[in-house]
Amino acid sequence: MTEVVNTSQYLGRFLAEWTPTLFGLMGDANMRYLSEYMDRGGRFVTVAHEAAAVSMADGRARVTGAVGTASVTHGPGFTNTLTALTEAARYRSPIVVFTGSTRPGRTVFQQFDLRAAADAAGAGFESLCAAATLPEDLIRAYRRARTERRPIVVDFPALLDGEPLPEHVTTASMPVPDHSTTPAQVPPVPAPELIDAAVRAITAIERPVILAGRGALSPGAQDAIGRLGCLLGAPLATTLLARGLFAGHPLDIGLMGGLSFGPTVDLLREADGFIVFGAGLNAFTAGDRTNLLAGRTVIQIDSDPAAFEDSGQVDVAVLGDAGAAAEALARRLPDSPDRVQESRQRAAAVHGFNPRDHYRTDWTGYGLSVRDAALALQEVLPADKFVVSDLGRFIATSWRHISGTAPGTFTHTGTFGSIGLGLSTALGAATASERPVIALVGDGGLMMSIGELGTAARAGLPVFLIVFNDGAYGAEYSKLAGYGLDPDRSLMDWPDLATLARGFGWEARTVSSVEEIRALDLTQPVEVPTLLDVRVDPQVDHFEW
């Protein structure tokens, strides 16, 4: 006899097959199917605030490449996610967020236009309209997340919750789960006429530089672009999110843009053309204190047509896979041995650059500068780490100096400009990362998400959390001073952060000197959630972009 189940039971069992780890907060909209999910062996990570559920799903998706899943309740449960949802949408994270519309009626105080809010955040929307189409609707939501590379908000309406399934919908015929970490759509092969146009443009460039971004993070693209660089004698630069892609390559010159070191900036300013693979050309990448692209020829290769609209100045736009385009260009372009030798010599100057030789120690009598702290931390942290950063004044320097050894192991929650999302995103990453997860946050951002310290302790997520604690909203401190106003108005009298963390079940300690940092034994991953409260000086600025 076939088991008769209802929609909530089916959804819980579907999720147990399709997403082994799910993040969320229970409420009337989801408690029944989440109970079924846990009964079926699913790992449900309960958060303190719904925004954290979306950020954690986002963090897991960034590490694995597979679709992450979050679940929240009606109305305010969903509106609490909107900042995190917008960040995930702008980062192009494939996640599915379940919520639910309320039953119709004037007395239902949690009514809300879910579709309109999802659209405003940049997310897609699906409604589970009927019990008869539940399997197809669920599969479509997950496929859209992968195909469109963005969050999909799924409405499981209260009217459908607990409804019996028709006879033809059974758990015995549950769709095979899709745990793929590759895009659902194969990147297009570059059109020959676009390759022709790119070849003509590149041939006219005398001092080319190749820039690779997140869209080139595949072994095939990495190798093909590296070979093209050798052929053209073009130095190889990356965006922040593709950092390390060309590590060890003789033409590697590191990061392009506001985080570049001096020798790299000099080389970039002398370039008369850029060949761009899978990278955005925003002001942080395309500029230092000036627009590096101004007056230069720009050839941009990307598998996403929207990338060309966002980039502004592009002379030749090639729609297609980064690796395939690099191989096609290499077959058509002549080699430049003289330029290769010169570029290797210039790249060697970049490799030999030691920032410590060019920095002075800034100190006003309190704590550390972020620069000194970041340099010391990079010495003692595990080399093979995954770094997740929040936003705050600390990023201008810490992003230069704290990184892992493998490409694609740095991410940030800065595409929407919010603070407070970094901790939760790091926790989500920690549920799937094979590398130790290091989270970089400011004290203000941590206080916005302080409840998630309890989430980490309950779930046993061994994140190493570094708090650059200047006792202020640091960016505002700098800006107030710049306006000639009293910067002390941005100071905050926080509780002691290490004491707070211990109260949540974390290990924690405070450091205020380079010597204390260097004395830490951090080369091995932590086994329990651990917080390091790094006291830094609010009066020392290192805005260098």
Side-chain angles (χ1 to χ4, degrees), residues 257-287:
L259 296 176
S260 300
F261 290 121
T264 299
V265 173
D266 294 339
L267 199 155
L268 293 169
R269 287 175 175 171
E270 293 173 9
D272 62 344
F274 292 91
I275 309 166
V276 182
F277 292 92
L281 296 174
N282 59 44
F284 301 107
T285 296

PDB file of all heavy atoms in Angstrom, residues 257-287:
ATOM      1  N   GLY A 257      44.352  47.273  -9.064  1.00  0.00           N
ATOM      2  CA  GLY A 257      43.428  48.253  -8.527  1.00  0.00           C
ATOM      3  C   GLY A 257      43.906  48.880  -7.249  1.00  0.00           C
ATOM      4  O   GLY A 257      45.105  49.058  -7.011  1.00  0.00           O
ATOM      5  N   GLY A 258      42.955  49.223  -6.394  1.00  0.00           N
ATOM      6  CA  GLY A 258      43.273  49.964  -5.185  1.00  0.00           C
ATOM      7  C   GLY A 258      44.103  49.217  -4.176  1.00  0.00           C
ATOM      8  O   GLY A 258      44.691  49.836  -3.283  1.00  0.00           O
ATOM      9  N   LEU A 259      44.173  47.889  -4.277  1.00  0.00           N
ATOM     10  CA  LEU A 259      44.964  47.102  -3.333  1.00  0.00           C
ATOM     11  C   LEU A 259      46.342  46.738  -3.883  1.00  0.00           C
ATOM     12  O   LEU A 259      47.091  46.020  -3.238  1.00  0.00           O
ATOM     13  CB  LEU A 259      44.212  45.826  -2.951  1.00  0.00           C
ATOM     14  CG  LEU A 259      42.900  46.036  -2.193  1.00  0.00           C
ATOM     15  CD1 LEU A 259      42.200  44.700  -1.969  1.00  0.00           C
ATOM     16  CD2 LEU A 259      43.120  46.734  -0.864  1.00  0.00           C
ATOM     17  N   SER A 260      46.675  47.228  -5.081  1.00  0.00           N
ATOM     18  CA  SER A 260      47.974  46.910  -5.677  1.00  0.00           C
ATOM     19  C   SER A 260      49.109  47.550  -4.884  1.00  0.00           C
ATOM     20  O   SER A 260      48.982  48.663  -4.364  1.00  0.00           O
ATOM     21  CB  SER A 260      48.037  47.434  -7.116  1.00  0.00           C
ATOM     22  OG  SER A 260      47.048  46.861  -7.923  1.00  0.00           O
ATOM     23  N   PHE A 261      50.251  46.857  -4.834  1.00  0.00           N
ATOM     24  CA  PHE A 261      51.459  47.434  -4.277  1.00  0.00           C
ATOM     25  C   PHE A 261      52.137  48.323  -5.319  1.00  0.00           C
ATOM     26  O   PHE A 261      51.853  48.238  -6.516  1.00  0.00           O
ATOM     27  CB  PHE A 261      52.415  46.343  -3.809  1.00  0.00           C
ATOM     28  CG  PHE A 261      51.936  45.607  -2.591  1.00  0.00           C
ATOM     29  CD1 PHE A 261      51.739  44.227  -2.625  1.00  0.00           C
ATOM     30  CD2 PHE A 261      51.684  46.285  -1.413  1.00  0.00           C
ATOM     31  CE1 PHE A 261      51.294  43.551  -1.500  1.00  0.00           C
ATOM     32  CE2 PHE A 261      51.241  45.617  -0.279  1.00  0.00           C
ATOM     33  CZ  PHE A 261      51.046  44.247  -0.328  1.00  0.00           C
ATOM     34  N   GLY A 262      53.074  49.155  -4.857  1.00  0.00           N
ATOM     35  CA  GLY A 262      53.696  50.168  -5.693  1.00  0.00           C
ATOM     36  C   GLY A 262      54.219  49.701  -7.030  1.00  0.00           C
ATOM     37  O   GLY A 262      53.874  50.279  -8.080  1.00  0.00           O
ATOM     38  N   PRO A 263      55.082  48.657  -7.094  1.00  0.00           N
ATOM     39  CA  PRO A 263      55.607  48.218  -8.390  1.00  0.00           C
ATOM     40  C   PRO A 263      54.511  47.770  -9.360  1.00  0.00           C
ATOM     41  O   PRO A 263      54.623  47.977 -10.567  1.00  0.00           O
ATOM     42  CB  PRO A 263      56.520  47.050  -8.020  1.00  0.00           C
ATOM     43  CG  PRO A 263      56.904  47.292  -6.603  1.00  0.00           C
ATOM     44  CD  PRO A 263      55.698  47.923  -5.972  1.00  0.00           C
ATOM     45  N   THR A 264      53.442  47.171  -8.832  1.00  0.00           N
ATOM     46  CA  THR A 264      52.327  46.768  -9.687  1.00  0.00           C
ATOM     47  C   THR A 264      51.605  47.990 -10.235  1.00  0.00           C
ATOM     48  O   THR A 264      51.246  48.042 -11.421  1.00  0.00           O
ATOM     49  CB  THR A 264      51.344  45.877  -8.909  1.00  0.00           C
ATOM     50  OG1 THR A 264      52.020  44.704  -8.467  1.00  0.00           O
ATOM     51  CG2 THR A 264      50.159  45.484  -9.772  1.00  0.00           C
ATOM     52  N   VAL A 265      51.385  48.980  -9.387  1.00  0.00           N
ATOM     53  CA  VAL A 265      50.713  50.205  -9.834  1.00  0.00           C
ATOM     54  C   VAL A 265      51.508  50.865 -10.957  1.00  0.00           C
ATOM     55  O   VAL A 265      50.945  51.301 -11.974  1.00  0.00           O
ATOM     56  CB  VAL A 265      50.529  51.181  -8.654  1.00  0.00           C
ATOM     57  CG1 VAL A 265      49.980  52.526  -9.151  1.00  0.00           C
ATOM     58  CG2 VAL A 265      49.578  50.592  -7.619  1.00  0.00           C
ATOM     59  N   ASP A 266      52.819  50.941 -10.795  1.00  0.00           N
ATOM     60  CA  ASP A 266      53.656  51.543 -11.837  1.00  0.00           C
ATOM     61  C   ASP A 266      53.487  50.817 -13.160  1.00  0.00           C
ATOM     62  O   ASP A 266      53.365  51.433 -14.225  1.00  0.00           O
ATOM     63  CB  ASP A 266      55.125  51.511 -11.415  1.00  0.00           C
ATOM     64  CG  ASP A 266      55.405  52.396 -10.208  1.00  0.00           C
ATOM     65  OD1 ASP A 266      54.588  53.313  -9.952  1.00  0.00           O
ATOM     66  OD2 ASP A 266      56.425  52.168  -9.534  1.00  0.00           O
ATOM     67  N   LEU A 267      53.494  49.501 -13.120  1.00  0.00           N
ATOM     68  CA  LEU A 267      53.366  48.700 -14.334  1.00  0.00           C
ATOM     69  C   LEU A 267      51.988  48.889 -14.965  1.00  0.00           C
ATOM     70  O   LEU A 267      51.860  49.020 -16.189  1.00  0.00           O
ATOM     71  CB  LEU A 267      53.631  47.243 -13.981  1.00  0.00           C
ATOM     72  CG  LEU A 267      53.990  46.282 -15.114  1.00  0.00           C
ATOM     73  CD1 LEU A 267      54.781  45.117 -14.560  1.00  0.00           C
ATOM     74  CD2 LEU A 267      52.746  45.778 -15.808  1.00  0.00           C
ATOM     75  N   LEU A 268      50.939  48.908 -14.138  1.00  0.00           N
ATOM     76  CA  LEU A 268      49.580  49.065 -14.650  1.00  0.00           C
ATOM     77  C   LEU A 268      49.385  50.424 -15.308  1.00  0.00           C
ATOM     78  O   LEU A 268      48.699  50.550 -16.329  1.00  0.00           O
ATOM     79  CB  LEU A 268      48.571  48.889 -13.513  1.00  0.00           C
ATOM     80  CG  LEU A 268      48.471  47.489 -12.896  1.00  0.00           C
ATOM     81  CD1 LEU A 268      47.643  47.523 -11.630  1.00  0.00           C
ATOM     82  CD2 LEU A 268      47.877  46.500 -13.898  1.00  0.00           C
ATOM     83  N   ARG A 269      49.969  51.455 -14.720  1.00  0.00           N
ATOM     84  CA  ARG A 269      49.814  52.794 -15.284  1.00  0.00           C
ATOM     85  C   ARG A 269      50.507  52.935 -16.633  1.00  0.00           C
ATOM     86  O   ARG A 269      50.133  53.769 -17.451  1.00  0.00           O
ATOM     87  CB  ARG A 269      50.356  53.829 -14.307  1.00  0.00           C
ATOM     88  CG  ARG A 269      49.458  54.048 -13.091  1.00  0.00           C
ATOM     89  CD  ARG A 269      50.091  54.994 -12.108  1.00  0.00           C
ATOM     90  NE  ARG A 269      49.182  55.291 -10.996  1.00  0.00           N
ATOM     91  CZ  ARG A 269      49.539  55.959  -9.910  1.00  0.00           C
ATOM     92  NH1 ARG A 269      50.784  56.404  -9.777  1.00  0.00           N
ATOM     93  NH2 ARG A 269      48.662  56.188  -8.959  1.00  0.00           N
ATOM     94  N   GLU A 270      51.521  52.113 -16.875  1.00  0.00           N
ATOM     95  CA  GLU A 270      52.238  52.181 -18.141  1.00  0.00           C
ATOM     96  C   GLU A 270      51.572  51.351 -19.242  1.00  0.00           C
ATOM     97  O   GLU A 270      51.933  51.481 -20.417  1.00  0.00           O
ATOM     98  CB  GLU A 270      53.676  51.694 -17.946  1.00  0.00           C
ATOM     99  CG  GLU A 270      54.506  52.618 -17.062  1.00  0.00           C
ATOM    100  CD  GLU A 270      55.865  52.032 -16.736  1.00  0.00           C
ATOM    101  OE1 GLU A 270      56.210  50.990 -17.336  1.00  0.00           O
ATOM    102  OE2 GLU A 270      56.568  52.604 -15.885  1.00  0.00           O
ATOM    103  N   ALA A 271      50.604  50.519 -18.871  1.00  0.00           N
ATOM    104  CA  ALA A 271      49.932  49.676 -19.862  1.00  0.00           C
ATOM    105  C   ALA A 271      49.094  50.539 -20.803  1.00  0.00           C
ATOM    106  O   ALA A 271      48.550  51.572 -20.414  1.00  0.00           O
ATOM    107  CB  ALA A 271      49.043  48.656 -19.155  1.00  0.00           C
ATOM    108  N   ASP A 272      48.985  50.111 -22.070  1.00  0.00           N
ATOM    109  CA  ASP A 272      48.103  50.815 -23.006  1.00  0.00           C
ATOM    110  C   ASP A 272      46.918  49.950 -23.430  1.00  0.00           C
ATOM    111  O   ASP A 272      46.158  50.329 -24.316  1.00  0.00           O
ATOM    112  CB  ASP A 272      48.882  51.302 -24.227  1.00  0.00           C
ATOM    113  CG  ASP A 272      49.502  50.165 -25.037  1.00  0.00           C
ATOM    114  OD1 ASP A 272      49.593  49.041 -24.510  1.00  0.00           O
ATOM    115  OD2 ASP A 272      49.910  50.413 -26.186  1.00  0.00           O
ATOM    116  N   GLY A 273      46.770  48.788 -22.791  1.00  0.00           N
ATOM    117  CA  GLY A 273      45.623  47.955 -23.091  1.00  0.00           C
ATOM    118  C   GLY A 273      45.461  46.836 -22.074  1.00  0.00           C
ATOM    119  O   GLY A 273      46.447  46.370 -21.485  1.00  0.00           O
ATOM    120  N   PHE A 274      44.218  46.419 -21.856  1.00  0.00           N
ATOM    121  CA  PHE A 274      43.909  45.367 -20.882  1.00  0.00           C
ATOM    122  C   PHE A 274      43.047  44.303 -21.549  1.00  0.00           C
ATOM    123  O   PHE A 274      42.064  44.610 -22.227  1.00  0.00           O
ATOM    124  CB  PHE A 274      43.176  45.943 -19.670  1.00  0.00           C
ATOM    125  CG  PHE A 274      44.026  46.841 -18.823  1.00  0.00           C
ATOM    126  CD1 PHE A 274      44.077  48.207 -19.065  1.00  0.00           C
ATOM    127  CD2 PHE A 274      44.786  46.319 -17.791  1.00  0.00           C
ATOM    128  CE1 PHE A 274      44.874  49.041 -18.296  1.00  0.00           C
ATOM    129  CE2 PHE A 274      45.587  47.142 -17.010  1.00  0.00           C
ATOM    130  CZ  PHE A 274      45.634  48.510 -17.266  1.00  0.00           C
ATOM    131  N   ILE A 275      43.424  43.048 -21.350  1.00  0.00           N
ATOM    132  CA  ILE A 275      42.640  41.905 -21.810  1.00  0.00           C
ATOM    133  C   ILE A 275      42.032  41.290 -20.555  1.00  0.00           C
ATOM    134  O   ILE A 275      42.756  40.785 -19.689  1.00  0.00           O
ATOM    135  CB  ILE A 275      43.522  40.888 -22.548  1.00  0.00           C
ATOM    136  CG1 ILE A 275      44.355  41.587 -23.624  1.00  0.00           C
ATOM    137  CG2 ILE A 275      42.662  39.787 -23.167  1.00  0.00           C
ATOM    138  CD1 ILE A 275      45.481  40.728 -24.168  1.00  0.00           C
ATOM    139  N   VAL A 276      40.719  41.326 -20.447  1.00  0.00           N
ATOM    140  CA  VAL A 276      40.030  41.046 -19.186  1.00  0.00           C
ATOM    141  C   VAL A 276      39.223  39.755 -19.321  1.00  0.00           C
ATOM    142  O   VAL A 276      38.351  39.644 -20.190  1.00  0.00           O
ATOM    143  CB  VAL A 276      39.098  42.218 -18.811  1.00  0.00           C
ATOM    144  CG1 VAL A 276      38.414  41.943 -17.476  1.00  0.00           C
ATOM    145  CG2 VAL A 276      39.891  43.524 -18.765  1.00  0.00           C
ATOM    146  N   PHE A 277      39.497  38.789 -18.456  1.00  0.00           N
ATOM    147  CA  PHE A 277      38.800  37.501 -18.472  1.00  0.00           C
ATOM    148  C   PHE A 277      37.966  37.334 -17.202  1.00  0.00           C
ATOM    149  O   PHE A 277      38.511  37.229 -16.100  1.00  0.00           O
ATOM    150  CB  PHE A 277      39.805  36.351 -18.554  1.00  0.00           C
ATOM    151  CG  PHE A 277      40.540  36.253 -19.857  1.00  0.00           C
ATOM    152  CD1 PHE A 277      41.759  36.897 -20.029  1.00  0.00           C
ATOM    153  CD2 PHE A 277      40.023  35.514 -20.911  1.00  0.00           C
ATOM    154  CE1 PHE A 277      42.453  36.803 -21.227  1.00  0.00           C
ATOM    155  CE2 PHE A 277      40.714  35.416 -22.111  1.00  0.00           C
ATOM    156  CZ  PHE A 277      41.926  36.063 -22.280  1.00  0.00           C
ATOM    157  N   GLY A 278      36.651  37.326 -17.334  1.00  0.00           N
ATOM    158  CA  GLY A 278      35.772  36.993 -16.217  1.00  0.00           C
ATOM    159  C   GLY A 278      35.895  37.905 -15.027  1.00  0.00           C
ATOM    160  O   GLY A 278      35.776  37.456 -13.887  1.00  0.00           O
ATOM    161  N   ALA A 279      36.134  39.189 -15.270  1.00  0.00           N
ATOM    162  CA  ALA A 279      36.333  40.130 -14.170  1.00  0.00           C
ATOM    163  C   ALA A 279      35.465  41.359 -14.378  1.00  0.00           C
ATOM    164  O   ALA A 279      35.319  41.851 -15.500  1.00  0.00           O
ATOM    165  CB  ALA A 279      37.801  40.553 -14.080  1.00  0.00           C
ATOM    166  N   GLY A 280      34.911  41.869 -13.282  1.00  0.00           N
ATOM    167  CA  GLY A 280      34.224  43.145 -13.325  1.00  0.00           C
ATOM    168  C   GLY A 280      35.240  44.277 -13.348  1.00  0.00           C
ATOM    169  O   GLY A 280      36.384  44.120 -12.916  1.00  0.00           O
ATOM    170  N   LEU A 281      34.825  45.416 -13.834  1.00  0.00           N
ATOM    171  CA  LEU A 281      35.730  46.554 -13.940  1.00  0.00           C
ATOM    172  C   LEU A 281      35.199  47.728 -13.128  1.00  0.00           C
ATOM    173  O   LEU A 281      35.042  48.841 -13.623  1.00  0.00           O
ATOM    174  CB  LEU A 281      35.917  46.941 -15.415  1.00  0.00           C
ATOM    175  CG  LEU A 281      36.595  45.873 -16.281  1.00  0.00           C
ATOM    176  CD1 LEU A 281      36.611  46.291 -17.740  1.00  0.00           C
ATOM    177  CD2 LEU A 281      38.014  45.596 -15.787  1.00  0.00           C
ATOM    178  N   ASN A 282      34.909  47.461 -11.852  1.00  0.00           N
ATOM    179  CA  ASN A 282      34.425  48.531 -10.989  1.00  0.00           C
ATOM    180  C   ASN A 282      35.581  49.437 -10.587  1.00  0.00           C
ATOM    181  O   ASN A 282      36.739  49.209 -10.935  1.00  0.00           O
ATOM    182  CB  ASN A 282      33.710  47.957  -9.752  1.00  0.00           C
ATOM    183  CG  ASN A 282      34.626  47.051  -8.934  1.00  0.00           C
ATOM    184  OD1 ASN A 282      35.778  47.361  -8.685  1.00  0.00           O
ATOM    185  ND2 ASN A 282      34.096  45.906  -8.517  1.00  0.00           N
ATOM    186  N   ALA A 283      35.266  50.478  -9.829  1.00  0.00           N
ATOM    187  CA  ALA A 283      36.279  51.478  -9.477  1.00  0.00           C
ATOM    188  C   ALA A 283      37.386  50.896  -8.621  1.00  0.00           C
ATOM    189  O   ALA A 283      38.519  51.384  -8.654  1.00  0.00           O
ATOM    190  CB  ALA A 283      35.613  52.647  -8.750  1.00  0.00           C
ATOM    191  N   PHE A 284      37.097  49.857  -7.844  1.00  0.00           N
ATOM    192  CA  PHE A 284      38.117  49.274  -6.970  1.00  0.00           C
ATOM    193  C   PHE A 284      39.123  48.447  -7.766  1.00  0.00           C
ATOM    194  O   PHE A 284      40.304  48.398  -7.430  1.00  0.00           O
ATOM    195  CB  PHE A 284      37.458  48.407  -5.895  1.00  0.00           C
ATOM    196  CG  PHE A 284      36.497  49.176  -5.041  1.00  0.00           C
ATOM    197  CD1 PHE A 284      35.133  48.996  -5.185  1.00  0.00           C
ATOM    198  CD2 PHE A 284      36.946  50.101  -4.115  1.00  0.00           C
ATOM    199  CE1 PHE A 284      34.235  49.711  -4.415  1.00  0.00           C
ATOM    200  CE2 PHE A 284      36.063  50.824  -3.344  1.00  0.00           C
ATOM    201  CZ  PHE A 284      34.698  50.626  -3.489  1.00  0.00           C
ATOM    202  N   THR A 285      38.652  47.789  -8.818  1.00  0.00           N
ATOM    203  CA  THR A 285      39.541  46.994  -9.655  1.00  0.00           C
ATOM    204  C   THR A 285      40.224  47.850 -10.726  1.00  0.00           C
ATOM    205  O   THR A 285      41.406  47.688 -11.000  1.00  0.00           O
ATOM    206  CB  THR A 285      38.752  45.866 -10.347  1.00  0.00           C
ATOM    207  OG1 THR A 285      38.243  44.989  -9.345  1.00  0.00           O
ATOM    208  CG2 THR A 285      39.631  45.075 -11.298  1.00  0.00           C
ATOM    209  N   ALA A 286      39.474  48.758 -11.330  1.00  0.00           N
ATOM    210  CA  ALA A 286      39.985  49.526 -12.472  1.00  0.00           C
ATOM    211  C   ALA A 286      40.685  50.809 -12.068  1.00  0.00           C
ATOM    212  O   ALA A 286      41.135  51.563 -12.914  1.00  0.00           O
ATOM    213  CB  ALA A 286      38.842  49.852 -13.428  1.00  0.00           C
ATOM    214  N   GLY A 287      40.799  51.067 -10.774  1.00  0.00           N
ATOM    215  CA  GLY A 287      41.432  52.303 -10.354  1.00  0.00           C
ATOM    216  C   GLY A 287      42.330  52.124  -9.154  1.00  0.00           C
ATOM    217  O   GLY A 287      42.211  51.170  -8.401  1.00  0.00           O
TER     218      GLY A 287
END
